[in-house]
C-alpha cells in the first residue's frame, strides 16, 4: 500500500507543507483515537470533484474498532461523504446525523476539519478532514475516566480544527510514549489537577506521593518529588510551559528508585488556554534495563581492553626472547609470532572503543598492511593499496580474518618479489612498481576478498592444497574452520599471485553498508 505522501501527491494538489502537516497529525493522533474510543481516518479531497481519499487510519487501543478492513487508499463520494464535505467546506466539526452501519457494526460519524496555520499564526484553509468513527456495539454508561477522556478528546479535536494540534515535535523525540493507557492527568488553567487516571495515580505513588492527585498543583509537586532539584525544576517548568500554550519536551522524574516519563500538552480549544494534559508512564524497569546494558557494555569494553594489553605483553615477551635467540630460524619464528599476536590485539583494541561487538574493519586492514611493509624481511619496497570497503564486521569474523590477511600480506611482500641480487637483469624504467592490492566487495550474503600482487607468481611445483609455509597452513585452517569459508591460491591472469577468499557473513549480523540483515 502506498504511503500518505504517495497517495496525496498522486491524487491531490496539496502542497508539500500541507502534506508535512498531515504527516505530523498521523504521527501523533493515536492519542486522540484512544481518548475518543474511536477510529480516526484522514480524508483528503480529490481534485475538487466531491470525492475524498483516505490516506491514513488509526484504530483505538481503548475500544473495539469500527472497521475490520483497512480503509487506506479508499476513494468515496456521494451521500457517504456528506459529513466530510460539510466539515471541509464550512470549516467546523460535524457531529449531526444518525448512526450508520458497517456490516454488522453500528457506528457514529464525526468529521473534524484539518487546518494548517499560516506563518503569522492565523488559522489557514482547511486541507483535509479527520473522520472520527465510534463503534456503538458496546455502548454503555460512561465512567468518570471515560467522561474525562471524551472531554479531553473534544478539546484536542477542536485544536486540530484550529490548526494548533499536534504541537511541533522536538528533535530526537518519538510519539510512542507515554500513551493514554499509561497514565493521564488533566489540569485546569491554574495548574491544579482536576482528574488523574488510576495508572497515573499509581505512577506517582511509585515516586513517593501517597495522597490523591486531584487538587494538587502539579508543577510544585514535581519539584517536591524529584530526587534531583534541577530535574524537578525542569519537570515543573514543563508543566507551566504547557499551561502557557507551549509544547515542552518530555521530562523524566527520578525519586525513591523509581523513574517516571512525563509529556505535557497544552489544551487550547478555540485559542483559549483552559489547562493542560499530562501523560505519564512508569519507566522504572526500562531504565533499570538500560543501566544494566550500559554496565554490561562497559564491562565488555574493559575486557577487550585488558585482552589487548595482555596480548601486547605477550608480544613484548616474544620480542625479547627473539633478541636472545642465536638460531636465525628460531628468531624468525618468534618474530612471526609477534606479528600474529599483534594483529589480534588490533581487533581487541578496536572492540574496546566500540559500543557493540562489531568493528570498522577498514582501519584495521590498513594498519596491518602498513605494518607488513615495515617489518617484512625484504629489500624490495612494496606499495600497499585497498580497493573497496569491508564495512562493519562482527568480532567473531574480524579476529580470524585479520590473522588471515596478515599472513597473506606478509607472504605477498616477502615471497612475491625477488630480492635485487636474484634478478636476472635490471628492471626497465617503465616497469610497474611492486604492489599488493587488497580488494573487497559484498555479494549477497558473502564477503569476497582478494589479495593480489604483481610479483613473480607461485613456484612451478607449488601445491595449493598442501604446500606453503606455516603461515599458509594457518590461513587454510582459519578460513575453512573458524570462518567456514573457502580460499584459492593461484597465479594472476597476467602476472603475480592472487589469493581469493569467500567468507559467509555470520547469522544475525547487520550489513552496515546496505542496512540489510545478515544471512540466516
Amino acid at each position: 500500500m502506498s504511503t500518505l505522501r504517495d497517495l496525496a501527491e498522486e491524487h491531490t494538489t496539496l502542497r508539500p507543507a500541507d502534506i508535512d502537516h498531515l504527516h505530523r497529525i498521523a504521527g501523533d493522533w493515536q492519542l486522540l483515537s484512544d481518548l475518543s474510543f474511536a477510529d480516526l481516518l484522514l480524508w483528503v479531497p480529490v481534485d475538487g470533484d466531491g470525492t475524498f481519499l483516505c490516506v491514513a487510519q488509526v484504530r483505538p487501543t481503548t475500544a473495539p474498532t469500527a472497521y475490520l478492513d483497512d480503509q487506506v487508499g479508499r476513494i468515496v463520494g456521494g451521500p457517504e461523504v456528506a459529513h466530510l464535505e460539510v466539515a471541509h467546506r464550512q470549516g467546523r466539526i460535524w457531529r449531526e446525523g444518525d448512526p450508520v452501519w458497517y456490516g454488522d457494526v453500528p457506528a457514529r460519524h464525526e468529521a473534524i476539519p484539518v487546518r494548517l496555520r499560516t506563518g503569522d499564526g492565523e488559522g489557514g484553509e482547511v486541507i483535509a478532514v479527520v473522520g472520527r468513527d465510534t463503534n456503538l456495539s458496546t455502548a454503555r454508561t460512561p465512567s468518570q475516566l471515560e467522561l474525562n477522556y471524551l472531554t479531553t478528546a473534544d478539546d484536542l479535536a477542536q485544536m486540530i480544527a484550529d490548526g494548533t494540534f499536534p504541537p511541533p515535535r522536538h528533535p530526537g523525540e518519538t510519539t510512542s510514549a507515554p500513551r493514554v493507557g499509561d497514565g493521564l492527568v488533566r489540569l485546569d488553567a491554574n495548574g491544579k489537577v482536576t482528574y488523574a487516571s488510576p495508572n497515573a495515580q499509581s505512577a506517582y505513588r511509585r515516586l513517593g506521593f501517597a495522597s490523591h492527585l486531584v487538587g494538587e498543583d502539579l508543577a510544585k509537586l514535581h519539584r517536591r518529588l524529584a530526587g534531583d532539584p534541577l530535574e524537578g525544576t525542569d519537570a515543573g517548568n514543563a508543566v507551566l510551559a504547557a499551561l502557557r500554550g507551549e509544547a515542552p519536551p518530555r521530562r523524566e522524574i527520578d525519586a525513591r528508585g523509581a523513574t517516571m516519563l512525563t509529556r505535557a500538552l497544552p489544551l487550547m480549544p478555540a485559542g483559549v488556554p483552559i489547562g493542560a494534559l499530562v501523560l505519564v508512564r512508569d519507566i522504572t524497569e526500562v531504565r533499570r534495563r538500560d543501566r544494566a546494558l550500559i554496565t554490561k557494555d562497559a564491562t565488555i569494553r574493559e575486557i577487550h581492553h585488558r585482552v589487548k594489553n595482555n596480548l601486547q605483553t605477550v608480544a613484548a615477551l616474544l620480542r625479547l626472547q627473539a633478541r636472545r635467540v642465536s638460531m636465525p630460524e628460531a628468531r624468525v619464528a618468534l618474530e612471526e609470532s609477534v606479528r600474529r599476536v599483534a594483529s589480534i590485539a588490533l581487533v581487541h583494541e578496536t572492540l574496546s572503543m566500540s559500543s557493540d561487538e562489531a568493528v570498522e574493519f577498514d582501519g584495521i586492514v590498513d594498519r596491518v598492511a602498513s605494518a607488513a611493509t615495515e617489518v617484512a624481511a625484504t629489500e624490495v619496497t612494496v606499495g600497499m593499496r585497498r580497493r573497496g570497503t569491508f564495512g562493519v564486521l562482527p568480532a567473531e569474523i574480524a579476529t580470524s580474518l585479520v590473522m588471515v590477511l596478515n599472513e597473506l600480506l606478509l607472504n605477498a611482500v616477502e615471497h612475491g618479489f625477488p630480492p635485487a641480487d636474484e634478478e636476472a637483469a635490471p628492471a626497465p624504467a617503465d616497469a610497474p612498481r611492486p604492489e599488493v592490492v587488497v580488494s573487497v566487495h559484498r555479494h549477497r550474503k558473502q564477503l569476497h576478498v582478494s589479495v593480489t600482487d604483481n610479483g613473480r607468481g607461485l613456484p612451478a611445483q607449488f601445491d595449493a592444497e598442501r604446500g606453503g609455509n606455516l603461515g599458509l597452513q594457518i590461513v587454510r585452517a582459519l578460513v575453512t574452520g573458524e570462518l567456514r569459508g573457502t580460499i584459492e591460491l593461484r597465479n594472476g591472469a597476467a602476472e603475480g599471485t592472487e589469493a581469493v577468499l569467500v567468507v559467509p557473513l555470520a547469522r544475525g549480523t547487520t550489513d552496515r553498508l546496505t542496512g540489510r540483515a545478515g544471512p540466516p
Side-chain angles (χ1 to χ4, degrees), residues 364-376 384 409:
I364 294 176
V365 173
D366 294 343
R367 291 174 65 180
V368 168
S370 177
T373 60
E374 293 174 0
V375 303
M384 287 283 181
L409 291 169

Side-chain angles (χ1 to χ4, degrees), residues 279-309:
L279 300 173
V280 301
R281 180 185 177 187
D282 182 0
I283 57 170
T284 304
E285 281 302 304
V286 175
R287 288 295 171 261
R288 185 190 63 80
R289 289 195 295 268
D290 287 346
R291 288 191 290 269
L293 287 174
I294 292 172
T295 302
K296 178 183 176 182
D297 289 343
T299 302
I300 292 174
R301 288 197 296 272
E302 177 63 21
I303 289 173
H304 283 302
H305 180 71
R306 294 189 182 188
V307 170
K308 183 262 297 185
N309 289 342

Side-chain angles (χ1 to χ4, degrees), residues 61-111:
T61 60
T62 51
T65 180
Y67 299 97
L68 297 179
D69 298 327
D70 186 36
Q71 303 295 304
V72 176
R74 182 181 173 211
I75 298 178
V76 294
E80 190 175 355
V81 296
H83 61 301
L84 303 178
E85 183 65 33
V86 171
H88 183 262
R89 187 177 64 255
Q90 300 181 9
R92 65 177 181 86
I93 298 177
W94 185 93
R95 292 193 174 97
E96 304 89 47
D98 298 325
V100 296
W101 289 82
Y102 297 111
D104 297 331
V105 178
R108 181 177 63 249
H109 267 332
E110 295 179 73

